[in-house]
Amino acid sequence: MIERDGEGVLTAASAEVLAAARDLADSLGGSVGAVAVGDPGDLPDDLVKRGVSTLHLLRHELLADSEAATVGEALAQLVAAERPVAVLAAAGDASTEAMAGAAARLGVPLATACTAIRPGIRPGQPWEVTRERAGGILLEDAELDAPIRFCTLGTGTRTPTETAAAADVTVRAFVPELDATVPRARLIERRARASGMTLATAPVVVSGGRGVGSAEGYAVLEELAGLVGGAVGCSRVATNNGWRPHADQVGLTGTRVSPDLYIACGISGATQHWVGCMNARSILAVNTDPEAPMVSRATWAVIGDVHEVLPAVVEELRRRSGG
């Protein structure tokens, strides 16, 4: 199952999924089919370069919002009709929910956040999968035994590549049977993301937690981020307290970041948050607790009050830059 961005272009995560599907198809002597929702757009021209032979389009008025539970219901019907060897999708929130719904309807397991998939040597043998657990801190080797294997793949597990196009992609529309009387989630409003630098692209992230103390306390973090060309993030406690919007949250239930420098201000560094920032090249922790997990894991640490340390850092940066 593949996804497209707001402009109808195949997402990078879905391109990785197609590359993994092609590897599996080559090892099993099969072909690759793709599943998408809505009109084909320019997908066939793109998919033909990625080794896809058939594009299945889920078409129904109730799929207009691509709501995950409804997509999962439609996907289950398509899979029941086509009986593929495996169904792969990116390990995003919406795609994982849709895959979970489809797998549950078909009575088969779902292996989530896979980093590797190894088919059995002989037909009928269980497949071996390696999965991320605990937000990526642990890797689990497991067996997947089912008539149809459902897997989601984490990003960065496969490099998207193109292949020589042997033939055009066959496009097939599939209209599922969906009950309009069943309560369903509906898209009410769509808001465009802020343009410019984001948490995911910023080279420096200045993030605050419980130690910042209030929404007003983030003013100095905003100032520091502006001086170093970065973005402001936060821990879950900040969003829970209403100090920052969820879009700023770094962590397992927020955004995973990989900046050159992550500045953790007043953040204890619980596992949920560490998962979101552990891929940073360097981490500077500012905390009053020398035993805090973030301090012990950081590249550098300053033991002190955020409200004393950061203003001093800002003042020195301004002095060095001539004000």
Side-chain angles (χ1 to χ4, degrees):
M1 186 174 70
I2 59 176
E3 297 175 297
R4 291 175 277 187
D5 61 20
E7 298 180 355
V9 178
L10 185 74
T11 64
S14 290
E16 291 187 35
V17 169
L18 289 176
R22 196 169 72 231
D23 287 345
L24 284 175
D26 290 343
S27 65
L28 296 171
S31 60
V32 177
V35 181
V37 177
D39 297 323
D42 295 328
L43 269 181
D45 294 336
D46 188 3
L47 296 181
V48 73
K49 298 179 293 185
R50 302 182 187 276
V52 174
S53 60
T54 306
L55 170 60
H56 300 275
L57 292 173
L58 302 178
R59 307 291 297 273
H60 197 286
E61 61 181 7
L62 294 177
L63 290 168
D65 294 336
S66 297
E67 189 268 324
T70 307
V71 172
E73 184 179 352
L75 177 63
Q77 294 182 30
L78 173 64
V79 171
E82 296 292 330
R83 306 298 299 179
V85 173
V87 183
L88 309 182
D93 292 339
S95 54
T96 298
E97 183 179 347
M99 289 282 282
R105 287 177 178 275
L106 295 171
V108 297
L110 167 65
T112 58
C114 295
T115 61
I117 303 173
R118 297 172 291 276
I121 298 176
R122 295 184 298 274
Q125 279 191 322
W127 288 14
E128 295 180 354
V129 296
T130 301
R131 305 172 56 213
E132 289 186 348
R133 301 300 300 272
I137 294 178
L138 301 175
L139 292 178
E140 173 193 77
D141 289 328
E143 287 189 348
L144 179 60
D145 190 5
I148 301 175
R149 286 82 173 181
F150 273 70
C151 305
T152 64
L153 280 72
T155 57
T157 59
R158 183 66 167 81
T159 302
T161 56
E162 295 184 356
T163 184
D168 292 336
V169 174
T170 300
V171 179
R172 296 178 180 171
F174 180 82
V175 182
E177 296 181 4
L178 302 176
D179 187 351
T181 64
V182 173
R184 302 178 188 277
R186 184 165 58 93
L187 178 64
I188 300 299
E189 180 182 3
R190 189 185 299 276
R191 296 184 180 181
R193 291 184 176 180
S195 59
M197 190 179 300
T198 66
L199 278 179
T201 61
V204 179
V205 174
V206 183
S207 202
R210 187 185 303 276
V212 175
S214 66
E216 293 73 23
Y218 279 84
V220 68
L221 277 71
E222 295 275 6
E223 189 175 8
L224 177 57
L227 289 172
V228 297
V232 174
C234 68
S235 66
R236 186 168 63 183
V237 68
T239 59
N240 288 347
N241 290 339
W243 299 344
R244 305 291 296 187
H246 178 71
D248 289 352
Q249 184 180 325
V250 174
L252 182 60
T253 55
T255 301
R256 298 190 187 190
V257 299
S258 53
D260 294 329
L261 175 61
Y262 186 77
I263 305 176
C265 306
I267 297 176
S268 64
T271 300
Q272 194 278 147
H273 187 80
W274 175 249
V275 166
C277 66
M278 63 183 183
N279 290 327
R281 181 172 297 180
S282 300
I283 296 177
L284 168 62
V286 181
N287 205 297
T288 56
D289 181 7
E291 304 300 324
M294 185 63 75
V295 172
S296 63
R297 292 165 170 166
T299 314
W300 308 284
V302 176
I303 306 304
D305 191 326
V306 167
H307 302 293
E308 296 176 358
V309 174
L310 294 193
V313 173
V314 167
E315 182 180 354
E316 179 63 16
L317 287 174
R318 290 195 179 282
R319 186 189 67 80
R320 293 191 180 192
S321 64

